[in-house]
Amino acid sequence: MKIAYLLDCYDVLVRQVKSNTTVSNKVILNELFKNEENSFRIYKVSIVKRDGTETVKVSFPRHSFHPEIQPLELKTIFQFTEFEEYIPRLKNLIEFTGETILFAADNQRRNTFYVYEKCSVGELNQKERFFLYCNQLLLDENQNIKLAIKEKVFKLKSNIKIEHYIHKNQLAMESLLNSLIKQINPETNNELYQYSNEFNKIDCLKCIYGNLEKLLLFIEKEYNEYLNVNIMVPQRTMLMNEYAIRPKLDFVRDSLLAKEVNKELLKILFEPIVLLSTINIQNKITYYQFNYATEYILELSQLLMENQTDVTNEEIAEWLLDLNMNSIRFFDYETNIIQEKLDKCESDGERLELLYKKLKKFNQHRSRIKKSFLDKLPEIKVQICSWIEEEIEFINRKRNIEDNNNESFKSSEPREKIMLGLSVAQMSYFLNLLMQTGIIKHNNQRDVFRMICENFKTKGTDSISMDSLSSKYYNVESSTKNTIKEKIIELLNLTKK
């Protein structure tokens, strides 16, 4: 089934509302008469207790087909005992018509109940009938569309085809939702779900928006693994999740502001928080951004609860790595820290040692969150490792140029080199041990490498490369360690003779 047919009823209804096209009274009544037995006028009754006085307030009536009405358990006057003392007062507040009356308690508000009075849809005025017709028509249509989607998905044989089908449906629904928002033009999120008592064009468009949004929520729930995460999250999804995430969001914000944190780090920490805090009709976010920011808040709140005492900037930077915060700002922060340490090194050898240690640390890091903050950029550890590798490459190239310049001043006479009984990797590791134990005491590691390259050779090569010695100095294989260990044991045994 094509997307155009799935939303054809919505498209037709939007055109009718926008152009004030008159829908036949017969068509409207036929749709409403389908649920005539559930047609009621509903009055919301609130008991207000203040300063020793008690007031009974009755709201403007809503029809049971109104989109705001939620299904409640209806009781007769004989079954409804919760507010029986107030029922006699209602005769002076409501103009009853003599039709059947039922009652329902509000499940969330203790001092509120509802009065249901039976009414015929034929008694409704034309504007209200059309408004209720819009809602009832789309309620039925949503059931048809849901069934059509399920049948289509069932027939599709591959995940790729299902994903493609769901993406097209998402895109069509999001496009129509955005168009409706522009026409409704609400100033706030809540205004989008508030209806007037006039049943005007805007009310009808809000009704269409609400039903279409519920249809998108159905797709979100039933086919979550196939969603296009780059499509904007529906307002209702964000409102539904706000109640769950708001306490943790407030806790994270207050906890961070209470700690003494580097200002730049604080800005980085707040990037996902600001993303969630500033959502509104004009400022939407994608499913990807919403899912990451929500998981970020939950994980960060857990870290803050586990570390309620003061934490260092280094620890917070580790948290951001754990949370896969891959923003440009955090990348700059981390690389600036490394650069400051590099500037304090006295030689290229020290710089290389520092960079290789950092490279190992970031390569071995595992994040708590699989998603990253910005889906268009690589993970933060990938960004930083690439930067470190470029720095290593630069230092090595610079050293090669310096070595070549030095070679040009040397005598061209051939020099006899001493054969080693070790491989390049084994010699490099042995040098490492000699320098660590202080047997070789020289500040410039490069000079030691140069001396080995100029005066020694191995069975494998007559010309030992300084780059080869340097890389194997920091990256030692277990087989190399074992070989050198055996040689050192031989030396120890020789000392016993």
Side-chain angles (χ1 to χ4, degrees):
M1 183 177 285
K2 295 182 179 179
I3 299 299
Y5 294 134
L6 277 182
L7 299 180
D8 185 57
C9 181
Y10 278 91
D11 292 337
V12 170
L13 201 53
V14 169
R15 286 196 298 269
Q16 289 174 341
V17 172
K18 287 172 60 179
S19 62
N20 293 319
T21 303
T22 303
V23 179
S24 155
N25 195 45
K26 182 180 179 181
V27 171
I28 293 175
L29 288 175
N30 283 344
E31 181 65 37
L32 297 180
F33 277 138
K34 292 178 184 178
N35 294 298
E36 174 79 9
E37 62 181 22
N38 296 317
S39 175
F40 292 92
R41 280 285 185 211
I42 304 174
Y43 299 87
K44 178 182 176 182
V45 182
S46 303
I47 314 300
V48 181
K49 298 179 179 180
R50 186 177 299 162
D51 299 330
T53 62
E54 189 174 75
T55 307
V56 179
K57 292 185 176 181
V58 179
S59 70
F60 186 86
R62 287 276 195 241
H63 193 276
S64 54
F65 296 165
H66 195 287
E68 284 184 343
I69 300 301
Q70 301 297 321
L72 295 172
E73 182 185 0
L74 300 183
K75 298 179 180 180
T76 66
I77 192 170
F78 303 107
Q79 300 169 319
F80 192 67
T81 58
E82 292 94 323
F83 296 90
E84 59 182 350
E85 60 186 286
Y86 300 101
I87 292 175
R89 300 195 207 178
L90 299 178
K91 293 180 180 180
N92 299 323
L93 299 171
I94 301 173
E95 294 183 8
F96 291 113
T97 62
E99 294 291 340
T100 304
I101 296 175
L102 298 172
F103 300 88
D106 192 307
N107 295 327
Q108 296 180 337
R109 301 176 184 86
R110 294 175 57 187
N111 294 327
T112 302
F113 67 97
Y114 300 90
V115 178
Y116 283 63
E117 184 182 30
K118 196 78 178 70
C119 75
S120 170
V121 293
E123 300 171 7
L124 308 174
N125 66 56
Q126 187 176 352
K127 278 191 172 182
E128 186 174 8
R129 271 204 304 263
F130 180 70
F131 173 76
L132 299 177
Y133 160 78
C134 290
N135 191 49
Q136 289 299 112
L137 179 67
L138 294 179
L139 285 175
D140 292 341
E141 185 64 16
N142 275 5
Q143 295 305 315
N144 295 333
I145 292 174
K146 289 176 185 178
L147 182 61
I149 290 173
K150 286 182 178 180
E151 289 177 350
K152 182 68 175 180
V153 169
F154 181 76
K155 291 177 182 177
L156 295 173
K157 302 301 181 184
S158 72
N159 288 341
I160 293 176
K161 289 182 178 179
I162 294 173
E163 185 177 89
H164 180 64
Y165 178 72
I166 295 300
H167 283 195
K168 288 201 298 181
N169 275 285
Q170 267 188 282
L171 187 59
M173 291 176 193
E174 188 203 22
S175 177
L176 184 51
L177 284 172
N178 289 336
S179 174
L180 287 166
I181 287 177
K182 288 180 182 178
Q183 295 168 58
I184 297 168
N185 193 26
E187 293 184 1
T188 65
N189 291 351
N190 290 336
E191 190 181 325
L192 193 57
Y193 304 101
Q194 294 170 346
Y195 297 89
S196 74
N197 296 324
E198 299 173 4
F199 310 110
N200 56 28
K201 182 190 294 187
I202 296 299
D203 290 320
C204 292
L205 291 174
K206 287 180 180 179
C207 176
I208 297 170
Y209 178 91
N211 280 285
L212 183 57
E213 198 174 48
K214 288 175 184 176
L215 191 59
L216 189 52
L217 291 179
F218 159 78
I219 290 181
E220 181 184 302
K221 180 180 178 182
E222 296 293 324
Y223 303 102
N224 188 268
E225 66 270 33
Y226 301 108
L227 289 178
N228 182 349
V229 294
N230 295 314
I231 281 181
M232 298 300 171
V233 180
Q235 292 294 324
R236 197 177 295 269
T237 296
M238 292 185 286
L239 289 173
M240 289 165 60
N241 283 274
E242 183 179 9
Y243 296 105
I245 199 69
R246 177 58 62 182
K248 292 190 181 295
L249 184 64
D250 293 340
F251 168 75
V252 167
R253 184 177 56 244
D254 295 344
S255 298
L256 290 176
L257 292 174
K259 292 183 182 297
E260 293 184 6
V261 182
N262 174 283
K263 287 184 178 179
E264 190 59 29
L265 266 182
L266 198 60
K267 290 178 183 178
I268 297 166
L269 283 162
F270 265 88
E271 286 186 75
I273 298 172
V274 170
L275 196 66
L276 274 185
S277 301
T278 57
I279 297 172
N280 54 47
I281 294 293
Q282 289 76 31
N283 188 27
K284 293 183 176 182
I285 61 175
T286 64
Y287 278 100
Y288 183 94
Q289 293 172 313
F290 182 75
N291 291 338
Y292 173 83
T294 302
E295 191 173 358
Y296 173 90
I297 294 296
L298 295 175
E299 291 290 343
L300 187 53
S301 67
Q302 186 63 36
L303 285 168
L304 287 165
M305 289 181 70
E306 293 170 358
N307 300 271
Q308 296 192 14
T309 56
D310 290 338
V311 290
T312 64
N313 291 329
E314 289 76 13
E315 288 172 323
I316 290 176
E318 282 296 318
W319 291 1
L320 288 166
L321 276 173
D322 288 342
L323 300 174
N324 215 344
M325 168 53 74
N326 66 334
S327 67
I328 299 298
R329 182 174 277 167
F330 185 48
F331 168 80
D332 289 342
Y333 177 86
E334 281 290 285
T335 52
N336 286 340
I337 294 293
I338 298 173
Q339 188 62 57
E340 288 175 6
K341 292 181 179 179
L342 287 173
D343 292 341
K344 294 177 181 177
C345 293
E346 295 181 356
S347 66
D348 285 340
E350 286 183 40
R351 294 185 187 95
L352 283 173
E353 185 174 3
L354 172 65
L355 288 170
Y356 277 115
K357 284 180 179 178
K358 291 291 183 183
L359 185 62
K360 178 183 177 183
K361 171 195 167 185
F362 286 109
N363 268 329
Q364 293 179 346
H365 186 270
R366 294 293 177 268
S367 300
R368 294 173 67 142
I369 297 180
K370 290 183 179 180
K371 296 183 183 69
S372 51
F373 177 53
L374 301 174
D375 62 322
K376 303 298 182 186
L377 292 178
E379 291 184 27
I380 187 62
K381 78 170 190 176
V382 174
Q383 293 184 51
I384 295 173
C385 286
S386 296
W387 182 87
I388 292 173
E389 287 168 354
E390 287 178 2
E391 290 296 309
I392 292 172
E393 177 69 17
F394 172 76
I395 293 173
N396 281 331
R397 284 180 178 276
K398 185 184 74 169
R399 294 170 80 182
N400 284 338
I401 292 171
E402 291 173 353
D403 291 341
N404 290 335
N405 290 337
N406 291 333
E407 286 294 327
S408 63
F409 294 103
K410 290 184 178 180
S411 171
S412 58
E413 295 180 9
R415 177 183 293 176
E416 183 65 28
K417 294 185 178 181
I418 299 169
M419 175 66 72
L420 291 172
L422 300 173
S423 68
V424 174
Q426 292 162 0
M427 185 62 208
S428 181
Y429 180 56
F430 190 54
L431 279 175
N432 190 326
L433 296 176
L434 292 175
M435 295 183 78
Q436 283 189 57
T437 54
I439 295 174
I440 294 179
K441 292 186 176 181
H442 191 75
N443 292 332
N444 194 329
Q445 193 181 79
R446 195 75 171 170
D447 291 344
V448 178
F449 289 162
R450 187 180 295 108
M451 183 274 293
I452 296 296
C453 293
E454 291 173 355
N455 297 286
F456 294 91
K457 62 183 178 180
T458 68
K459 289 182 179 179
T461 178
D462 288 339
S463 179
I464 299 174
S465 163
M466 286 182 66
D467 282 342
S468 179
L469 265 180
S470 178
S471 65
K472 290 176 173 57
Y473 185 90
Y474 296 103
N475 299 292
V476 185
E477 296 180 358
S478 56
S479 59
T480 300
K481 289 183 177 180
N482 291 334
T483 302
I484 295 300
K485 183 179 179 181
E486 291 172 3
K487 291 291 182 183
I488 292 172
I489 290 171
E490 285 182 34
L491 290 173
L492 288 172
N493 289 335
L494 289 172
T495 62
K496 296 177 182 178
K497 293 182 179 180

